[in-house]
């Protein structure tokens, strides 16, 4: 008998009058806000403008939600299109079911559209947002706790999660794989922040590091899960997805480091630093122009003259000597 465990909520919905507040949706929303907040701070530190991350997230988040839901429905289609199932449930996103692979893939498409509209390089924006995405995942995984889903194999460990009996699950204590992934994502975020400060990652390499590190944890956490899933060559589909995406991320990291080493110097046109520099230059030009105008308007001063008579003038003013007088010379002759 397990005397220590993590209890599960009796319900995943809190009714605020006529408005139902669903724990799963609440965790997703909080995660998005935290991700944008972290991304905005990192973007400003890179020389970008405040609010740019949020503007692009307006495109990325809806695309990501649609992509995450599509991946879940496609890979678990039997839950919605099997015998006796209602296909309308595929639209009930608040009941859980978002695939991170689809969310990142389609969210990247939305971010690309937003970046093009702002003339911003997508890799730089992704680097700024990478740790925030990991933190958002860490928060979002607690939505699975509200829904009593995504748990692992039975265990008597003191941190096991207690699951109540329901339609497709048996009561008992299980590995809290949602907790494992939440903690892993926090570690990924810290790793990316440290590596970015230490090695000045740029051109999408901070995001690639996040993807590779997340895939590493997702592979072993997926192995503990016992929920229904498709298997390929004896491994769960998400394990294969994690392996493939990990290899792609590492390849991008290595190739990018060789082709485009270092970090972008300018991540956003007309950023505050650039505008301030232009303003300083304009002020300097204005000051120089004003100084020139003052010089032109100043009254011209006559050069100081020496009051002492010039030697030439002295000679001119002196009376001619007797030797130089021609009349006197003629008389003498």
């Amino acid at each position: 008998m397990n005397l220590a465990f993590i209890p599960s909520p009796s319900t995943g919905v809190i009714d605020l009058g006529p408005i139902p507040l669903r724990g799963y949706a609440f965790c997703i929303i909080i995660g998005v806000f935290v991700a944008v907040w972290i991304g905005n701070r990192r973007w400003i530190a890179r020389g970008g403008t405040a609010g740019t991350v949020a503007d692009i997230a307006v495109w990325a988040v809806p695309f990501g939600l649609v992509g995450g839901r599509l991946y879940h429905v496609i890979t678990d289609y039997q839950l919605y299109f099997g015998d006796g199932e209602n296909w309308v449930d595929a639209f009930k996103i608040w009941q859980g079911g978002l695939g991170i692979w689809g969310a990142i893939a389609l969210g990247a498409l939305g971010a690309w559209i937003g970046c093009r509209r702002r003339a911003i390089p997508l890799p730089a924006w992704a680097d700024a947002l990478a740790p925030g995405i990991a933190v958002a995942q860490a928060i979002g995984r607690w939505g699975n706790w509200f829904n009593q889903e995504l748990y692992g194999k039975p265990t008597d460990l003191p941190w096991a999660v207690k699951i109540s009996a329901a339609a497709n699950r048996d009561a008992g204590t299980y590995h809290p794989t949602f907790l494992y992934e939440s903690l892993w994502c926090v570690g990924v975020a810290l790793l990316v922040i440290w590596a970015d400060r230490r090695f000045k990652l740029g051109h999408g390499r901070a995001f690639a590091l996040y993807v590779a590190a997340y895939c590493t944890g997702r592979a072993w956490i997926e192995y503990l899960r016992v929920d229904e899933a498709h298997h390929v060559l004896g491994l769960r589909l998400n394990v294969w997805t994690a392996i493939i995406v990990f290899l792609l991320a590492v390849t991008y990291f290595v190739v990018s480091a060789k082709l485009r080493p270092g970090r972008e110097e300018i991540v956003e046109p007309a950023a505050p630093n650039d505008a301030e520099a232009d303003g300083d230059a304009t002020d300097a030009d204005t000051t120089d122009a004003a100084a020139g105008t003052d010089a032109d308007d100043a009254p011209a001063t006559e050069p100081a003259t020496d009051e002492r008579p010039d030697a030439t003038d002295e000679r001119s003013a002196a009376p001619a000597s007797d030797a130089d007088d021609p009349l006197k010379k003629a008389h003498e002759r």
Side-chain angles (χ1 to χ4, degrees):
M1 179 178 179
N2 191 0
L3 298 178
F5 55 82
I6 300 174
S8 293
S10 57
T11 178
V13 182
I14 300 176
D15 293 320
L16 300 177
I19 302 176
L21 179 61
R22 303 183 182 278
Y24 185 86
F26 183 73
C27 291
I28 296 297
I29 294 173
I30 294 298
V32 169
F33 275 101
V34 172
V36 171
W37 178 75
I38 294 175
N40 183 65
R41 289 176 60 87
R42 286 172 52 80
W43 184 253
I44 294 174
R46 291 283 303 274
T49 304
T52 298
V53 170
D55 292 342
I56 298 175
V58 170
W59 287 89
V61 172
F63 274 74
L65 291 175
V66 172
R69 188 61 175 177
L70 282 176
Y71 182 89
H72 168 72
V73 172
I74 292 173
T75 56
D76 292 308
Y77 62 88
Q78 72 281 357
L79 299 176
Y80 308 99
F81 303 101
D83 295 337
E85 303 294 344
N86 186 0
W87 62 272
V88 177
D89 292 340
F91 297 94
K92 298 179 180 179
I93 190 173
W94 56 86
Q95 293 182 353
L98 287 175
I100 185 61
W101 315 113
I104 294 296
L106 210 57
L109 174 60
W112 177 77
I113 295 174
C115 287
R116 278 186 62 86
R117 291 171 60 89
R118 297 290 295 268
I120 290 173
L122 175 61
W125 185 85
D127 284 342
L129 201 65
I133 296 176
V135 174
Q137 288 179 254
I139 297 173
R141 274 306 177 201
W142 283 91
N144 303 127
W145 176 64
F146 280 99
N147 288 348
Q148 297 194 41
E149 59 187 2
L150 299 191
Y151 49 86
K153 300 175 181 178
T155 182
D156 292 330
L157 292 172
W159 57 83
V161 61
K162 186 175 183 180
I163 301 297
S164 59
N168 294 316
R169 63 177 185 243
D170 297 327
T173 55
Y174 300 86
H175 277 284
T177 51
F178 72 89
L179 175 61
Y180 298 161
E181 186 167 339
S182 179
L183 295 176
W184 183 269
C185 287
V186 172
V188 170
L190 296 176
L191 171 65
V192 173
I193 292 174
W194 170 82
D196 193 26
R197 291 179 177 177
R198 174 65 176 82
F199 302 105
K200 304 296 182 183
L201 302 178
H203 302 287
R205 287 189 288 277
F207 185 81
L209 176 61
Y210 145 72
V211 173
Y214 171 76
C215 290
T216 302
R218 181 61 184 266
W220 69 264
I221 293 172
E222 193 75 21
Y223 177 77
L224 295 174
R225 287 171 52 171
V226 294
D227 54 307
E228 186 178 356
H230 296 286
H231 287 73
V232 178
L233 299 179
L235 294 177
R236 293 167 65 96
L237 177 61
N238 281 333
V239 174
W240 284 110
T241 305
I243 294 174
I244 294 173
V245 175
F246 171 83
L247 294 176
L248 292 175
V250 172
T251 301
Y252 177 88
F253 190 99
V254 174
V255 173
S256 174
K258 292 181 178 180
L259 297 180
R260 308 185 71 181
R263 175 188 283 180
E264 303 93 337
E265 294 184 0
I266 300 176
V267 296
E268 182 174 3
N273 291 340
D274 298 335
E276 183 178 351
D278 294 340
D280 293 341
T282 303
D283 293 341
D285 294 339
T286 303
T287 302
D288 294 341
T293 302
D294 293 342
D296 294 337
D297 293 341
T301 57
E302 297 181 357
T305 58
D306 194 350
E307 295 181 355
R308 294 177 301 175
D310 186 71
T312 304
D313 296 339
E314 292 178 352
R315 287 193 301 269
S316 299
S321 61
D322 294 342
D324 295 335
D325 189 349
L327 294 177
K328 187 174 183 179
K329 290 182 178 179
H331 177 71
E332 289 177 352
R333 286 195 298 266

